[in-house]
Amino acid sequence: MSGKKYLSISPFGLLLVFLSSLILLFIIAPIAGMFFSTPASSLFDTAQDKQVRDSIWLTLFTAMGATLVASIGAIPLAYLLARREFRFKRVVLGVIDLPIVIPHSAAGIAILGFISRDTFLGKSASVFGIDLIGHPLGISVAMAFVSIPFLINAARDGFMNVPVRYEKAAQILGASPIRIFFSISLPLAWKSIVSGLIMMFARGMSEFGAVVIVAYHPMITPVLIYERFGSFGLSYARPVAVLFIIVSLIFFIILRLLSKTKNA
């Protein structure tokens, strides 16, 4: 017998279904309305617009770069949080979640001060002739800042679900900590880590508030949608939004399929 429980046909069960349907409708209706209000010809013309295509590619590239680079430190941090107890651990956990709770315009101001020309990071980049403000690297920094908690928290949960006895058994058999991490901990937590990577990538792609302060140009797609809405109105912004949603869905479906193939 499966462990699934089905709602019985009772007044309470019907109430749950009704309230759940309202929430689903609340999520689906605005998106469906946007799709139905966008003529196919308008969507096709938007897909031919070089500025739109460039903004989508820039969004995908910067979000992916932010995710991959940040994961180099985020995954070890998640492992440390899952396996070690130390003073001020709760403070560290609170700091990790801070980018989620602060206004993203405030996050943009913080990032702007972090990468400006007179900071260490800004001066270091200027040695290579790079001004991080208004640069794809600056966009990636802003995306990583607001989205990295999703990866850290998902990876930490994955590592916490790995039985400690497996690691202790390997340690008794003489395996080094680094071998234990890469041969036991990481493979067993990989499913959660992949979910965290996808969530971080998705959150980075959708970021607007922090990015628009750091780099209005070059435009990622969320900024382009805002710019077209402010300059030309809803009819010009809506096709860009619909096209971006379609591209995002296709991309996420591919990522999910690849992750399932790897975990199979």
Side-chain angles (χ1 to χ4, degrees), residues 52 80 87 140 154 165 183 253 258:
V52 175
L80 182 66
R87 293 182 64 184
S140 290
R165 65 180 183 273
S183 63
I253 289 171
L258 289 175

Side-chain angles (χ1 to χ4, degrees), residues 25-38 238 242 245:
L25 182 63
F26 175 71
I27 296 172
I28 295 171
I31 299 175
M34 184 169 60
F35 272 79
F36 290 134
S37 301
T38 305
R238 186 189 289 128
V242 170
I245 291 173

Side-chain angles (χ1 to χ4, degrees), residues 66-257:
T67 302
L68 294 178
V69 173
S71 67
I72 297 173
I75 295 174
L77 174 58
Y79 182 74
L80 182 66
L81 293 170
R83 286 291 184 259
R84 299 289 186 270
E85 292 296 331
F86 51 87
R87 293 182 64 184
F88 307 116
K89 181 176 179 179
R90 292 185 181 274
V91 175
V92 173
L93 292 172
V95 169
I96 289 170
D97 290 333
L98 195 58
I100 298 176
V101 300
I102 64 174
H104 287 183
S105 54
I109 295 295
I111 292 297
L112 189 64
F114 181 63
I115 66 174
S116 60
R117 297 177 184 88
D118 57 347
T119 64
F120 172 77
L121 194 59
K123 290 178 180 178
S124 300
S126 65
V127 172
F128 301 95
I130 298 174
D131 183 2
L132 293 176
I133 300 174
H135 192 277
L137 287 176
I139 295 174
S140 290
V141 172
M143 287 178 171
F145 180 79
V146 299
S147 60
I148 200 168
F150 294 95
L151 172 57
I152 296 174
N153 290 329
R156 185 191 65 187
D157 291 342
F159 286 126
M160 290 180 69
N161 289 329
V162 176
V164 179
R165 65 180 183 273
Y166 293 171
E167 297 175 350
K168 289 184 176 179
Q171 187 178 15
I172 292 172
L173 293 173
S176 64
I178 190 170
R179 184 175 181 183
I180 292 171
F181 177 77
F182 282 105
S183 63
I184 297 176
S185 307
L186 192 62
L188 292 178
W190 186 244
K191 187 173 182 180
S192 296
I193 293 172
V194 169
S195 295
L197 288 167
I198 293 174
M199 286 301 300
M200 181 179 175
F201 173 71
R203 184 64 193 86
M205 276 186 63
S206 64
E207 178 55 25
F208 168 78
V211 173
V212 76
I213 292 176
V214 173
Y216 196 94
H217 293 281
M219 288 186 185
I220 61 170
T221 310
V223 176
L224 179 63
I225 293 170
Y226 171 79
E227 193 271 341
R228 291 207 172 182
F229 176 74
S231 301
F232 306 107
L234 183 61
S235 60
Y236 282 85
R238 186 189 289 128
V240 184
V242 170
L243 183 63
F244 186 54
I245 291 173
I246 293 173
V247 171
S248 299
L249 285 174
I250 293 172
F251 210 80
F252 294 142
I253 289 171
I254 292 172
L255 287 176
R256 287 293 183 186
L257 289 175

